[in-house]
Amino acid sequence: MTVTAASFFASAYGDRDPREAGALSTRITTATGPKEVVLDPPNLRVKVLGLPCADLDDPVIQGLAAGLDDDAVPCTKLTVYAPPEEESAWVRRGFLKEGEIRGYFADGIDTHLWARYGGDGRDEAPRDGEHDEICLLYTSDAADDWLGGWG
């Protein structure tokens, strides 16, 4: 049974408005053990720390992912701080890799940051075209002339 994101937020915040109350940390227990969940309504995101891909079927995680498109839920981004794993498994589940942090976990293991977004367009980079144009210019002969050999 999936737990809805709205009910998860309600149980964490009680009568307080999540948008006004600020971020808070809570714990859930998945098949692989306890995990910290950081609810951050002011930034419209939820972070789950130490979650392997195998736990994506957990009812709470399923509910949080489904809630990204729910206007009643104050989050549009789910970020998972995961141990290093096969990347294709995360991609198949609708996640985008955002980066890595070396030695993040207490045992010195790196973490891989995986993000999943709602349909609000938050995952779109409005300046991607500008970035591509700059990269093309930088790699062109004109850039070498303009930079005087520094390129």
Side-chain angles (χ1 to χ4, degrees), residues 30-133:
T30 66
T32 61
K35 305 294 180 256
E36 182 177 2
V37 178
V38 179
L39 304 174
D40 187 5
N43 292 303
L44 299 175
R45 67 178 167 217
V46 173
K47 297 179 191 175
V48 184
L49 309 181
L51 190 81
C53 192
D55 279 343
L56 289 178
D57 290 325
D58 181 85
V60 172
I61 303 303
Q62 287 287 308
L64 291 172
L68 296 175
D69 287 320
D70 183 347
D71 291 338
V73 177
C75 72
T76 59
K77 179 181 180 184
L78 172 62
T79 303
V80 177
Y81 288 60
E85 297 180 287
E86 177 59 43
E87 294 186 8
S88 62
W90 285 95
V91 173
R92 280 193 306 274
R93 299 296 295 267
F95 284 80
L96 301 171
K97 188 170 186 182
E98 290 202 325
E100 299 176 18
I101 301 173
R102 304 258 181 243
Y104 177 83
F105 293 110
D107 58 3
I109 300 291
D110 300 343
T111 187
H112 292 205
L113 280 68
W114 292 97
R116 186 163 173 187
Y117 299 89
D120 67 345
R122 183 174 177 173
D123 62 333
E124 297 172 9
R127 295 188 302 212
D128 269 355
E130 204 175 305
H131 175 265
D132 293 343
E133 187 177 323

